[in-house]
Amino acid sequence: MHEEDRLDLELHRRLGSGDRAAFEDLYRRYAPPAYALALRVTGQDALAQEVVHDSFLALWRTPEAYDAARGPFRTFFLSLVHHRAVDAVRREERLRKRAERASNLEPRTGEDVADEIVEDAYLVERRREIREALQTLPPDQRRVVELAYFGGYTQARIAEELGIPVGTVKTRTLAAMRKLRRALYRED
Amino acid sequence: MVNGEHERIEELLAGYALLALSGEDAIEADRLLSEHVPSCPMCRDTLAGFQSVAGELALAPSPVAPPELMLPRLRRQLEHVSGRRRRATLVAAAAGVIALVTLSGLSMSLASRASKAEHAKVQLSDFVGTLQQPGASSVSLTSMDRSSPGMVEVSGPGFERMYIVGRDVPEPAPGHAYQLWLGSGGTFVPVGDMFLPEDGLVYIRLTFDPRPYDEILITEEAIGSRMSAPSRDGHVWHASLTGAA
Ligand SMILES: [Zn+2]
């Protein structure tokens, strides 16, 4: 286990006894990536704020939702944020058809200027590996993964959007996920 | 199970890990997750692997500092929601209330990953379970124009939740949706997202203590409008909360 994952684990353990300092440490660590993710998925500041706020509150209320046996705290918590962001964006979609949604998939200008954010080297390094893994995917495969994950689109919707059969979306998704898995968890 | 079939299952698990399934695929995945995956080491491994990948993807966007007010707002709320350790103290700030609201049932919850029918079942049992708790009380929200059926609100002392349930709720006018308001001494604050009935059904679960408020209002508002006060133009439901707590 990585040293940083171990530290998260310890902070998480302290949440169980209502330790607010531990909560704030986890906030400092994960609020920026959580907010970036929620922004990318929802494309709206207010919605992204609600998602991140609610996610941290949920963590405080029910820390036991995380099971250390199932992987690092980081992936658990950011998955929770992702879940809520996709939920929020689909809820919103029912109210307001957003024609300009697709533009949100591209990083917002300025998003890459990570000003004032001092992140642990470990997170920076992991981000680089993840981006690299995404970049090595054939564009067709990368597109379906990005539309699903960062766009909150269902596979049916992606098929519609790209004008291809759902079966093709599924095949590309599986191929992409297999490659990503190999790239991110290679034995080294 | 033959290999070709596993390929198909893997496809579903990949879509599932990305939260991208809908319709028949989502139902099929739910079935697999309860019937096949738990007893198949290969599928368990695949699912865990894909879910880890999904968790890692979360880190891809460059970090963005959240608004500075977020942490202070969270701090204030930690006081009120020290988990189940101290239950249901009052929520002080209206701004906090808004963020705590969860709207479910109007869109399929991704949390349960269940089919629509199954999800409705979960909600219903949640609702009925609350009704059966000691101290639970229900209040009828009456339609102001009396042409629409009423809705019912359930809450109780010490509850962290309040439910609003309605059926045969009419569709709002085009470009409009419903908005819930909580009132205290004649001043109303909009709470949560706007919502639409789904097949006439409304199911709202609020996670906070409604006791500081004395009135509930549901109004029809233009989508995207800046709401400063409840509109009385469309359908309106109303209930008084005094005496309910
Ligand atoms: Zn299997």
Side-chain angles (χ1 to χ4, degrees), chain A residues 24 53-54 61 91 131, chain B residues 62 75 77 84 99 193:
Chain A
E24 297 214 0
H53 176 276
D54 289 359
R61 279 166 168 257
R91 204 171 62 205
R131 287 178 171 180
Chain B
S62 297
R75 277 189 191 124
Q77 284 177 345
R84 284 116 297 112
D193 299 304

Side-chain angles (χ1 to χ4, degrees), chain A residues 39-51:
Chain A
L39 260 183
R40 178 73 69 87
V41 174
T42 65
Q44 295 171 54
D45 294 348
L47 217 50
Q49 285 176 38
E50 181 190 314
V51 164

Side-chain angles (χ1 to χ4, degrees), chain B residues 209-221:
Chain B
D209 190 318
R211 278 178 294 178
Y213 301 96
D214 52 24
E215 267 179 288
I216 297 182
L217 209 54
I218 293 173
T219 61
E220 201 174 321
E221 306 283 344

